[in-house]
């Protein structure tokens, strides 16, 4: 899923011909009760209209692709009690943030 988000970012940056520099940021940070994974690109950004539709199956703004990647990612995140947020500014790039709760591993004693 994270690889799919990274490929989306790389595809978006290919559309920007005004900049020879491509950057993709993958950040993992741990909060008090969650782990966050942030995928950020410097592509053309995302419109408000697209933000409302990006999680719909088969919706895409790309010339190639099925439009299933973000809907599948959202389903996976929900099934794991997480959150998926997408934000972007036109011509400034897009940021996708995944948040997953920290839960004890099976067999690990609770620290309460």
């Amino acid at each position: 899923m994270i690889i799919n988000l990274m490929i989306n970012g790389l595809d978006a940056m290919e559309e920007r011909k005004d900049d020879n520099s491509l950057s993709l940021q993958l950040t993992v940070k741990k909060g008090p009760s969650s782990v966050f994974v942030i995928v950020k690109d410097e592509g053309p950004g995302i419109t408000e209209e697209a933000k409302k539709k990006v999680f719909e199956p088969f919706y895409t703004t790309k010339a190639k692709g099925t439009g299933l990647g973000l809907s599948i990612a959202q389903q996976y995140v929900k099934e794991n009690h997480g959150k998926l947020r997408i934000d972007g500014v036109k011509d400034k790039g897009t940021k996708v943030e995944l948040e997953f709760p920290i839960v004890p591993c099976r067999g690990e004693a609770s620290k309460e």
Side-chain angles (χ1 to χ4, degrees), residues 6-48:
M6 293 173 69
I7 290 170
N8 282 352
L10 289 169
D11 286 348
M13 288 186 293
E14 281 183 8
E15 295 174 17
R16 259 187 107 160
K17 303 296 183 193
D18 61 336
D19 194 341
N20 292 330
S21 173
L22 297 181
S23 171
L24 184 70
Q25 174 185 344
L26 174 62
T27 303
V28 178
K29 61 182 182 177
K30 183 178 176 182
S33 60
S34 299
V35 172
F36 299 85
V37 177
I38 300 165
V39 179
K40 184 177 178 182
D41 68 59
E42 294 179 353
I46 185 168
T47 66
E48 289 299 319

Side-chain angles (χ1 to χ4, degrees), residues 74-112:
Q74 183 185 48
Q75 180 74 23
Y76 175 83
V77 170
K78 281 183 179 180
E79 287 174 2
N80 288 280
H81 311 287
K83 297 176 187 171
L84 189 156
R85 292 180 279 280
I86 189 164
D87 195 26
V89 177
K90 186 165 172 47
D91 299 323
K92 300 285 184 182
T94 302
K95 178 173 86 169
V96 179
E97 182 177 275
L98 307 169
E99 178 182 355
F100 294 101
I102 297 173
V103 294
C105 294
R106 291 183 196 168
E108 185 176 300
S110 176
K111 297 180 181 176
E112 293 181 30

